[in-house]
Amino acid sequence: MTEGFDSGQADHQILLSVADLAVDFDTESGIVHAVQDVSWSIGAGETLGVVGESGSGKSVTAAALMDLIPITGRVVNGTFIWHGDRVGSAELARLRGSKITMVFQDPMNALNPLVHVGRQITEVLVKHVNLSRSAARRRAHELLELVGIPDPSRRMRQYPFEFSGGMAQRVVIAMALAAQPEVLIADEPTTALDVTIQAQILDLMSELQKELGIAIVLITHDLGVVAGVADHLAVMYAGRVIERGRSADVFANPYHPYTRGLLASTPHPRDVIDRLVPIKGNPPVVTELSPGCAFADRCPEAHDRCRVERPPMSAVPSHPASETVVLRDREVACWNAF
């Protein structure tokens, strides 16, 4: 397991850990190292925000966990730990769809357009909970009520195209909750929705989390989405986690220049600012691993060492002058952090 791998969640039971995950894709341009040495964990009832620009490896990490990597890709390394025990591929397959479930970015792509919504939820319950079809239909009705869909009896007989984007996402959340999971992975669950519906879906997920006690891995490119929602953050860039810690700490005092850039380019409703400050340049295409920091070419603080030597994830000292007392829940990969 990665040295220093610690989420700072000692006060919560750790449900799921991902350690040293690496995923490659074969392309015409060569091998793309989409995910490299990614480690994070989540505790019971917590929300972990996994943030970064498009192409940073956030969704690939979730896809590897759920065995949804396309045929051109492969997991080349990684350990998955469930309730403290390392799990192999067979055990992980048993957990998917029951104890670990997923909500996708576009609900219309996640639903079968030719099948009634009620039947789609019922099938999940029959397969993963072993309910009879009559019991599954009753439970599907309850789940639609739980996620705030009015007139569930009528809605169960409708097709996905008869639902708005927000209502369709509620259906997908209901399906994800059908087997009473312990961990819910939400991959950009509000990106395809307008701002008002985004807020409704995030509020719904928070309410369900409190009511059901589930842990949520919230994957997003938008730091504004996780602000006030996530307990912990893992910031990803070019396939790696480059900063992690408690959400409040990361927002209040980001150590990595990339994290600071994300915050500067994210609008905050309570702040009055003249303009947002974009991060210059574009994320790298990781067909070849750079010997240095992947962010160096875009970083205003980069120096020679940054370009030739990759910084490791290191625990952040509790005080700048201290080398012995560290905040175990704060880690950053940057030569200039402290």
Side-chain angles (χ1 to χ4, degrees), residues 7-87:
S7 66
Q9 297 165 326
D11 52 336
H12 290 266
Q13 176 192 6
I14 299 299
L15 296 180
L16 174 65
S17 298
V18 177
D20 305 321
L21 180 66
V23 180
D24 288 350
F25 286 91
D26 295 318
T27 71
E28 293 181 354
S29 302
I31 297 176
V32 172
H33 306 285
V35 168
Q36 310 157 49
D37 304 320
V38 166
S39 298
W40 50 253
S41 63
I42 186 167
E46 290 186 331
T47 297
L48 168 69
V50 182
V51 300
E53 293 170 291
S54 297
S56 63
K58 311 179 303 295
S59 295
V60 175
T61 300
L65 178 61
M66 299 302 292
D67 194 27
L68 296 174
I69 297 292
I71 193 170
T72 56
R74 59 192 176 279
V75 176
V76 295
N77 190 49
T79 300
F80 299 105
I81 300 171
W82 180 253
H83 284 274
D85 295 323
R86 179 172 178 170
V87 292

Side-chain angles (χ1 to χ4, degrees), residues 3-322:
E3 183 177 356
F5 175 56
D6 189 339
S7 66
Q9 297 165 326
D11 52 336
H12 290 266
Q13 176 192 6
I14 299 299
L15 296 180
L16 174 65
S17 298
V18 177
D20 305 321
L21 180 66
V23 180
D24 288 350
F25 286 91
D26 295 318
T27 71
E28 293 181 354
S29 302
I31 297 176
V32 172
H33 306 285
V35 168
Q36 310 157 49
D37 304 320
V38 166
S39 298
W40 50 253
S41 63
I42 186 167
E46 290 186 331
T47 297
L48 168 69
V50 182
V51 300
E53 293 170 291
S54 297
S56 63
K58 311 179 303 295
S59 295
V60 175
T61 300
L65 178 61
M66 299 302 292
D67 194 27
L68 296 174
I69 297 292
I71 193 170
T72 56
R74 59 192 176 279
V75 176
V76 295
N77 190 49
T79 300
F80 299 105
I81 300 171
W82 180 253
H83 284 274
D85 295 323
R86 179 172 178 170
V87 292
S89 56
E91 178 65 11
L92 197 58
R94 186 187 67 81
L95 295 172
R96 296 185 188 109
S98 55
K99 296 301 181 182
I100 305 172
T101 58
M102 191 166 179
V103 173
F104 297 91
Q105 176 176 335
D106 188 343
M108 292 305 181
N109 286 337
L111 296 170
N112 188 331
L114 303 178
V115 179
H116 291 147
V117 161
R119 181 179 173 185
Q120 294 188 54
I121 303 174
T122 299
E123 293 296 334
V124 174
L125 290 161
V126 170
K127 179 178 180 180
H128 293 290
V129 190
N130 295 321
L131 293 181
S132 66
R133 291 205 170 269
S134 59
R137 283 192 293 272
R138 290 193 297 271
R139 180 56 181 159
H141 187 282
E142 294 171 356
L143 286 167
L144 290 179
E145 284 185 319
L146 180 66
V147 298
I149 291 182
D151 196 2
S153 296
R154 178 175 63 88
R155 288 295 198 172
M156 285 182 65
R157 299 190 298 271
Q158 293 182 324
Y159 292 95
F161 72 84
E162 298 179 85
F163 288 71
S164 66
M167 283 296 177
Q169 192 64 292
R170 289 173 184 262
V171 172
V172 173
I173 293 173
M175 292 176 65
L177 296 175
Q180 298 180 323
E182 295 183 56
V183 177
L184 174 67
I185 300 173
D187 186 6
E188 301 276 10
T190 62
T191 299
L193 308 174
D194 64 52
V195 175
T196 301
I197 304 302
Q198 284 183 16
Q200 293 177 6
I201 294 299
L202 290 172
D203 287 345
L204 171 64
M205 292 176 64
S206 295
E207 292 169 5
L208 293 172
Q209 182 179 45
K210 293 176 183 178
E211 182 174 347
L212 304 175
I214 57 177
I216 296 177
V217 180
L218 180 57
I219 298 171
T220 180
H221 66 277
D222 187 351
L223 275 172
V225 168
V226 297
V229 175
D231 300 290
H232 295 260
L233 287 183
V235 182
M236 293 190 66
Y237 184 78
R240 296 180 181 273
V241 176
I242 51 89
E243 182 164 3
R244 62 182 164 222
R246 297 183 188 276
S247 179
D249 295 337
V250 174
F251 274 98
N253 189 20
Y255 283 91
H256 201 285
Y258 176 64
T259 309
R260 292 197 292 271
L262 286 179
L263 286 170
S265 61
T266 301
H268 300 275
R270 296 182 181 179
D271 296 338
V272 179
I273 57 176
D274 294 330
R275 63 185 179 89
L276 298 176
V277 181
I279 302 174
K280 295 181 179 180
N282 297 303
V285 178
V286 284
T287 52
E288 295 183 5
L289 294 177
S290 168
C293 175
F295 189 61
D297 290 341
R298 305 175 70 189
C299 181
E301 303 173 23
H303 48 74
D304 290 344
R305 186 183 187 185
C306 301
R307 294 182 173 86
V308 298
E309 187 178 354
R310 182 177 296 116
M313 286 291 285
S314 302
V316 175
S318 58
H319 303 286
S322 171

